[in-house]
Amino acid sequence: MAGSKYAYVRHFELPDPLLPATFIVCRLDGHSFHRFSDEHAFAKPNDERALKLMDRAAQSLMTEYKDIVLGFGESDEFSFLLRKTTNLYNRRHAKILTTLTSFFTSCYVFHWPQYFPDTPLRYPPSFDGRIVLYPNEREVRDYFSWRQADTHINNLYNTVFWALVQQGAQTTTEAHATLRGTLSKAKHEILFSRFRINYNEIFPRFRKGSVIVWEQIPDAPHDIGNSQDMVSTQDPSGDNAVENSEPSNDKDATSSSQPKQKQKLQVKPRTTIEIMHCDIIGDEFWQTRPYLLSG
């Protein structure tokens, strides 16, 4: 397209690249979801339908953008980890943030009828987003540990609060006053002594949040003719296994010649998205999935 005298305005569009060789974490958060949950009569303290809907939107996002290797969600929030080497949208900050936020929001609306078939949307939900860069694995792990610890803290408070309101006949003001300044141990005691609720037996989805991850499923080796997932690699000896094309003077050389070296076959691991409700603060989750932080 030919330029025009108005094209100079493009110079006001400043580049906004994200620092290379860093992990990208994009956190999406429901905007004014206290009002949204009230308007749509979400169950308290946790509405499993709403949490499953968040998981579905996150799963759809990760399916569309495979550079997202991990998602963690709680309540109306989801955090996504993009691999360190990603070049998605040339690592343009605004492009990545706006696209992921808008796609997640549209998926939330699109799948709403499946999880709330009897509750039509009263108005459009919205999500805000932010991007944070982390230089190494330790900060990434600490970030997700922080979010899961926050899940526990918030859910414990909300579980006790709504037990006091729904079963203890307190007003919301009275319930807040009862819990003001209490430590975790006291909250556990209130739940068990007054309502016979063992917090540790509550569904892990509520206590630990949702972990969505690309899990590797390695295939068993099979014939190259039947495989579309095979990748040939050189023999460890370093030989290229190229057949000698020079003719031999020995008539029997063809039959007695050494067979050409076979190329080793390496299976590309298949992957599938899994939704789990597990601990990600300890080492086991990360040690069994080193590929999440390998870049």
Side-chain angles (χ1 to χ4, degrees):
M1 181 180 293
S4 71
K5 66 177 182 180
Y6 308 112
Y8 77 93
V9 297
R10 295 180 57 189
H11 298 302
F12 289 89
E13 299 179 16
L14 299 179
D16 59 346
L18 294 167
L19 192 68
T22 54
F23 291 101
I24 300 173
V25 172
C26 179
R27 183 164 79 248
L28 308 181
D29 199 4
H31 179 67
S32 298
F33 255 55
H34 286 295
R35 176 195 165 206
F36 184 82
S37 62
D38 289 341
E39 288 280 350
H40 295 88
F42 282 13
K44 306 293 186 180
N46 294 291
D47 192 309
E48 190 171 3
R49 301 168 302 169
L51 295 174
K52 287 182 176 180
L53 174 56
M54 289 287 291
D55 291 350
R56 181 61 181 275
Q59 187 179 26
S60 299
L61 181 68
M62 292 177 64
T63 301
E64 182 73 15
Y65 295 96
K66 293 181 173 58
D67 274 7
I68 302 175
V69 295
L70 174 66
F72 177 78
E74 57 158 323
S75 185
D76 61 343
E77 168 193 307
F78 243 100
S79 297
F80 298 98
L81 173 66
L82 283 78
R83 64 179 77 254
K84 195 173 188 177
T85 56
T86 183
N87 197 36
L88 180 65
Y89 298 127
N90 293 319
R91 297 180 72 95
R92 292 161 55 192
H93 182 284
K95 186 77 170 182
I96 294 174
L97 182 60
T98 55
T99 305
L100 297 190
T101 304
S102 62
F103 191 87
F104 183 91
T105 304
S106 61
C107 288
Y108 187 93
V109 174
F110 182 79
H111 293 297
W112 174 272
Q114 179 180 345
Y115 296 91
F116 291 87
D118 302 320
T119 307
L121 277 170
R122 297 173 63 90
Y123 66 90
S126 62
F127 292 82
D128 61 60
R130 72 201 67 186
I131 282 179
V132 184
L133 301 181
Y134 292 99
N136 57 49
E137 298 176 10
R138 182 72 264 168
E139 282 81 10
V140 170
R141 286 191 52 178
D142 285 349
Y143 171 83
F144 284 97
S145 296
W146 168 50
R147 299 321 302 145
Q148 188 164 68
D150 186 72
T151 303
H152 162 70
I153 292 170
N154 290 338
N155 187 65
L156 177 58
Y157 185 95
N158 290 334
T159 301
V160 184
F161 176 85
W162 286 107
L164 290 169
V165 172
Q166 295 170 347
Q167 301 177 51
Q170 290 191 2
T171 66
T172 56
T173 301
E174 291 170 341
H176 281 304
T178 299
L179 296 177
R180 187 175 297 116
T182 57
L183 300 178
S184 176
K185 183 178 180 180
K187 294 182 178 70
H188 280 274
E189 179 62 25
I190 292 173
L191 277 177
F192 190 76
S193 62
R194 297 185 58 176
F195 307 108
R196 294 302 174 192
I197 298 175
N198 184 339
Y199 181 77
N200 294 324
E201 295 179 356
I202 292 176
F203 188 25
R205 178 192 291 276
F206 306 147
R207 294 184 288 111
K208 299 179 182 293
S210 293
V211 181
I212 306 183
V213 63
W214 283 101
E215 291 278 47
Q216 291 186 349
I217 309 175
D219 287 330
H222 49 288
D223 293 338
I224 188 169
N226 298 328
S227 172
Q228 295 181 351
D229 295 328
M230 293 289 193
V231 177
S232 64
T233 59
Q234 284 190 359
D235 187 271
S237 66
D239 296 333
N240 292 324
V242 178
E243 185 176 1
N244 188 351
S245 58
E246 195 172 317
S248 172
N249 293 326
D250 188 350
K251 290 176 60 177
D252 296 327
T254 303
S255 59
S256 61
S257 61
Q258 293 292 328
K260 62 182 180 180
Q261 287 182 311
K262 294 182 179 179
Q263 290 181 316
K264 288 194 173 182
L265 300 178
Q266 181 178 355
V267 178
K268 280 185 179 179
R270 293 184 299 115
T271 57
T272 183
I273 291 182
E274 295 287 344
I275 301 177
M276 302 176 289
H277 313 290
C278 61
D279 176 74
I280 58 174
I281 296 177
D283 293 332
E284 181 181 358
F285 175 84
W286 302 96
Q287 289 176 349
T288 56
R289 300 168 181 84
Y291 52 88
L292 294 178
L293 299 176
S294 64

